[in-house]
Amino acid sequence: MLTSLYVEGQSWFHRVPVRAKLAALVVLSVALFAMNAPLLLLPAFLLCGALYLSLGMTARQAFSRVGFVLFTILVLAGINLFLVPLPQVIALILRLTTLVLFAAAVTATTTIGAFMDEITILLKPLERVGLLRAADVSLALGLVLRFVPDIFARYQAISEAHRARGLPIRPMTIIGPLIILTLKDADTIAAAIDARGFRRQ
């Protein structure tokens, strides 16, 4: 069961500074969307796939982290088969999958605290001109990264409860309880944040 996006390890990518990883993610995103030829996108896909698989996870763990997103990409590609030529569909799959694999590698090798610290530093210039509060944005990002695994774990628990009762597993019967439990957690977290004065004006 997925309990955290971070994976303990000593790989070279674990040792890369957070700012460099985020910068590489931005540059990669721009480069991928600037390329349309599958033959140009394929090397990037292979490199990011190799990077992701080199982080010390088993094949099952690696797939469980990105499986749902990859399935969504395939569904999107299936729809596009009726709208655009096949080479463009292949480019779409390679582009999005490469981006997902690299982003997953970044989150797997960076702690939530490191993410929050770096985002706070990067957003300080915007805070000085009154556009936002850097600490609030970094806190929001940290909460998202922290509770994504919890949501997946809760989804698995609800699915297993359905199986144990012999009930069919349908998205509509699972999403309802999942949303309710998630909103309850959100209320509890918000109360804890206010109680500790993290968002004083």
Side-chain angles (χ1 to χ4, degrees):
M1 183 176 292
L2 182 61
T3 58
S4 174
L5 293 178
Y6 178 70
V7 177
E8 294 283 350
Q10 299 296 325
S11 72
W12 69 271
F13 203 59
H14 278 82
R15 298 189 292 272
V16 174
V18 183
R19 189 171 304 184
K21 293 177 187 176
L22 295 177
L25 181 58
V26 172
V27 172
L28 179 64
S29 302
V30 174
L32 289 174
F33 282 92
M35 294 186 292
N36 293 314
L39 288 178
L40 294 177
L41 293 165
L42 183 59
F45 166 73
L46 294 175
L47 287 173
C48 288
L51 170 64
Y52 181 59
L53 294 175
S54 70
L55 302 178
M57 296 177 285
T58 64
R60 182 174 181 179
Q61 290 172 332
F63 180 76
S64 67
R65 291 166 166 266
V66 297
F68 180 77
V69 181
L70 296 182
F71 173 75
T72 304
I73 293 173
L74 291 177
V75 171
L76 180 62
I79 295 172
N80 276 269
L81 278 173
F82 299 97
L83 304 173
V84 298
L86 181 59
Q88 292 186 30
V89 176
I90 295 174
L92 172 71
I93 295 173
L94 290 174
R95 183 183 298 118
L96 295 180
T97 304
T98 300
L99 196 56
V100 166
L101 291 173
F102 190 80
V106 172
T107 55
T109 57
T110 308
T111 62
I112 295 174
F115 263 123
M116 292 176 64
D117 291 343
E118 194 60 41
I119 294 298
T120 300
I121 293 171
L122 292 174
L123 294 180
K124 279 295 183 183
L126 297 179
E127 183 178 62
R128 294 191 188 100
V129 298
L131 293 179
L132 49 77
R133 294 183 60 181
D136 286 354
V137 176
S138 66
L139 177 61
L141 175 64
L143 288 174
V144 170
L145 293 175
R146 169 62 183 83
F147 287 102
V148 164
D150 284 355
I151 293 173
F152 277 110
R154 194 171 289 120
Y155 176 86
Q156 292 174 347
I158 295 173
S159 298
E160 290 171 2
H162 276 63
R163 291 192 190 95
R165 291 174 174 82
L167 300 174
I169 299 175
R170 299 190 182 98
M172 295 308 297
T173 62
I174 294 178
I175 290 175
L178 182 62
I179 291 176
I180 292 171
L181 292 172
T182 302
L183 290 176
K184 285 183 178 180
D185 279 352
D187 286 339
T188 302
I189 294 164
I193 290 173
D194 289 339
R196 287 165 175 77
F198 288 154
R199 301 188 72 255
R200 290 194 183 100
Q201 301 297 325

